[in-house]
Amino acid sequence: MTVSDRQRSLQSSMHDMGLTEEAIERRKRIVGLEPADLGRIAAVKDVVARGAEEFMATFFEFLSKLDEARPLVTSHGLLDRARQLKKAHLAAMVQGEYGTRYVEQRLELAQLYARAGLEMLVFLGAFHHLLRAIGSAIMKQFERSPMEGFENFMSLQKVAFFDIGIIVDVLVMERERTIRQQEEAIRELSTPVLQVRDRMLLLPIIGVIDTHRARLITESLLRAIRANRAKVVVMDVTGVATIDSKVANHLLQTVTAARLMGALVIVTGLSSEVAQSLVALGIELSKINTVGDLQGGLEEAERVLGYRLLRNGDALPPPTMTEN
Amino acid sequence: MSAEIRVPIEHERDIVTARQRGRELAAANGFSSTDQTLVALAISEIARNIVSYAKRGEVMLLALEETGRRGIVVIARDEGPGIADPELAMKDGYSTAKSLGVGLPGAKRVMDEFKLETQLGKGTTVTMKKWVR
């Protein structure tokens, strides 16, 4: 990624997270960061700058001892960049400027943690150690006026909590993004069309049908009808809890499209609740062939295709004429 | 009275969240399994209208208790374009969006009370109640 690409992606992340200038000011107010703090932070600027290397080492040493942080500390690309950003962070923390630019830097580091799969708990542990190291250095510097040293440190701590707020938000957001992607993947996988016999397909539908999934179901079914030269499809909706008008419409269209391709669709497993919903909505389903349960549906499909099921040892009945 | 549940509606997945919350609330308040499904259905229909026509809005769910009977109220609010002809919109088979046109009248049929307030350019509020049978 070039520098300008990175900049653009950071800006779009800032936008996604709603980190406008107003939002940043609000975050400062929440941690209590006031103009009076800036003077106290300036008073410890030199101490922090002098110890920057050491503080950074504390942070990464803590991480290197934890199994959970292995992906970060074993990837040289990530680790080098993290060190670079952490060093910049320590310098920026005491500059007194906590605006858009500062937040962008926090965001970049947080996204790197997220990429490395760093858990929140692990990050907080490392950050705690870093703060403690800074705190000790400050207290040493203000040995003769510990109250002043403490106040200065507390002002710096406000900045630290401002930072934590952003990092935590990014880690949570990344996790939600992962969950959404997984949901998407499950949806894609969850519309199998199975061949039961020659020219006979089974389409079990389980869970929530939304319009996206309904479209996927239609597409994969029509493709399978063509590929298998199917004549009968059993669509089982036992696992569907709610069918609203939009989903019903999609199912109707699927059935119609399948019929145009020469396949008969038998719908099975409509629960009593779903049946009542469809009646209440006044949806016209008389054009659809429904059979109570999946077993009945499969038997009906076999009958339509002219199959007869015999138990081993049963005498062969005389052949009958089938509809086909 | 228990606290209200608010579900912001913007994407299709919010419709699913809203109706799941509605089903849970109905179950917790003693609705039968069929009535839970009907409540979920009504929520699904009006939340779908928000996504289709107003882009975003909110569904509010609340348990009710009055003169010895229990029920739930569903309030769906949006600041969308409003409905030009509310009477026509409540008719079966009428739709401006090539859908089945059964959403609003269907929701009205499955609930006990139904009120549609709409103002062009200002938005729409649907208030529906259902009592435990």
Side-chain angles (χ1 to χ4, degrees):
Chain A
M1 218 195 281
T2 67
V3 173
S4 67
D5 277 350
R6 188 181 288 151
Q7 193 59 34
R8 248 198 307 280
S9 118
L10 272 179
Q11 277 165 1
S12 94
S13 300
M14 293 279 283
H15 177 80
D16 289 346
M17 292 189 59
L19 287 169
T20 57
E21 272 176 41
E22 279 161 43
I24 293 171
E25 286 308 314
R26 181 170 165 268
R27 281 172 180 263
K28 285 187 203 166
R29 272 201 306 281
I30 289 175
V31 296
L33 190 62
E34 292 163 0
D37 292 306
L38 300 184
R40 289 196 282 270
I41 290 169
V44 297
K45 190 173 169 181
D46 288 342
V47 192
V48 175
R50 256 202 315 277
E53 285 289 338
E54 182 204 324
F55 304 144
M56 192 172 76
T58 309
F59 184 83
F60 287 103
E61 230 163 73
F62 176 84
L63 289 180
S64 68
K65 279 185 237 141
L66 289 177
D67 269 354
E68 290 90 335
R70 185 157 298 167
L72 176 66
V73 285
T74 52
S75 154
H76 281 292
L78 287 179
L79 187 62
D80 287 349
R81 184 71 188 146
R83 282 177 174 280
Q84 220 176 340
L85 287 168
K86 184 48 80 186
K87 198 169 178 182
H89 178 202
L90 286 166
M93 241 181 131
V94 288
Q95 285 301 328
E97 288 282 344
Y98 311 107
T100 306
R101 182 81 199 97
Y102 183 78
V103 174
E104 269 176 17
Q105 289 175 344
R106 302 287 61 72
L107 210 62
E108 185 175 358
L109 191 53
Q111 285 175 343
L112 190 146
Y113 293 154
R115 262 207 306 286
L118 202 65
E119 282 176 57
M120 210 175 294
L121 198 65
V122 174
F123 159 74
L124 287 173
F127 202 65
H128 166 72
H129 278 75
L130 171 82
L131 279 182
R132 215 168 60 167
I134 295 177
S136 312
I138 291 175
M139 293 313 278
K140 208 172 195 174
Q141 176 81 14
F142 288 87
E143 226 165 10
R144 266 178 255 149
S145 45
M147 207 50 222
E148 193 188 346
F150 178 73
E151 299 241 324
N152 291 344
F153 176 65
M154 287 313 279
S155 289
L156 189 63
Q157 187 154 290
K158 291 179 184 175
V159 178
F161 273 84
F162 174 78
D163 298 348
I164 290 173
I166 295 163
I167 303 236
V168 165
D169 278 357
V170 171
L171 292 180
V172 169
M173 219 171 97
E174 288 296 325
R175 185 180 297 181
E176 284 171 355
R177 197 205 310 261
T178 310
I179 292 173
R180 270 203 303 281
Q181 280 168 350
Q182 287 168 343
E183 280 175 352
E184 190 73 15
I186 290 171
R187 276 208 303 209
E188 305 277 334
L189 290 170
S190 62
T191 52
V193 182
L194 312 166
Q195 181 166 12
V196 186
R197 296 197 192 294
D198 189 31
R199 314 193 91 181
M200 175 173 155
L201 300 175
L202 172 62
L203 176 67
I205 305 177
I206 290 168
V208 175
I209 314 180
D210 55 18
T211 45
H212 176 70
R213 195 166 163 219
R215 208 168 296 138
L216 277 177
I217 290 171
T218 311
E219 276 170 22
S220 52
L221 177 64
L222 296 183
R223 216 176 308 129
I225 288 174
R226 165 63 43 89
N228 296 284
R229 305 179 60 237
K231 291 213 72 169
V232 184
V233 178
V234 177
M235 186 194 282
D236 183 66
V237 294
T238 311
V240 181
T242 310
I243 295 186
D244 68 4
S245 64
K246 185 102 176 185
V247 171
N249 195 16
H250 265 288
L251 294 181
L252 279 170
Q253 287 174 355
T254 305
V255 169
T256 310
R259 189 179 299 143
L260 283 176
M261 293 183 68
L264 169 76
V265 179
I266 298 170
V267 178
T268 65
L270 277 176
S271 67
S272 65
E273 288 90 355
V274 169
Q276 289 192 52
S277 306
L278 294 174
V279 172
L281 284 175
I283 291 172
E284 183 56 51
L285 286 175
S286 57
K287 278 182 283 179
I288 292 192
N289 302 287
T290 55
V291 173
D293 58 9
L294 178 58
Q295 184 185 351
L298 290 172
E299 284 165 1
E300 171 69 10
E302 284 169 343
R303 198 188 61 74
V304 170
L305 286 172
Y307 287 107
R308 271 179 305 157
L309 202 62
L310 289 181
R311 202 190 294 270
N312 266 342
D314 280 1
L316 209 62
T320 49
M321 291 295 289
T322 60
E323 285 161 41
N324 281 33
Chain B
M1 198 181 277
S2 60
E4 68 205 27
I5 301 167
R6 286 166 180 270
V7 185
I9 305 291
E10 188 172 351
H11 304 287
E12 182 144 355
R13 60 173 177 274
D14 304 328
I15 301 174
V16 176
T17 308
R19 73 172 182 231
Q20 278 170 350
R21 289 285 133 73
R23 189 190 283 271
E24 285 161 16
L25 187 66
N29 282 279
F31 280 87
S32 71
S33 154
T34 300
D35 282 353
Q36 290 167 31
T37 305
L38 295 180
V39 168
L41 173 72
I43 294 172
S44 195
E45 297 297 339
I46 55 164
R48 172 92 61 199
N49 279 355
I50 293 179
V51 175
S52 303
Y53 299 102
K55 304 286 177 257
R56 67 179 64 84
E58 181 187 62
V59 168
M60 205 176 93
L61 306 163
L62 196 61
L64 279 181
E65 189 150 14
E66 88 186 24
T67 57
R69 57 179 184 169
R70 288 202 295 168
I72 69 171
V73 59
V74 179
I75 302 172
R77 269 198 211 101
D78 67 62
E79 292 175 3
I83 300 173
D85 189 342
E87 230 170 278
L88 194 56
M90 290 306 298
K91 273 216 178 87
D92 269 310
Y94 176 79
S95 172
T96 56
K98 283 194 207 155
S99 68
L100 291 174
V102 294
L104 280 177
K108 184 177 178 179
R109 268 196 295 274
V110 302
M111 299 297 276
D112 294 325
E113 291 170 40
F114 185 97
K115 194 169 71 182
L116 173 74
E117 293 156 294
T118 182
Q119 215 179 337
L120 268 187
K122 291 273 171 64
T124 303
T125 300
V126 174
T127 308
M128 352 184 248
K129 287 181 191 169
K130 192 168 182 69
W131 303 103
V132 176
R133 278 190 282 205

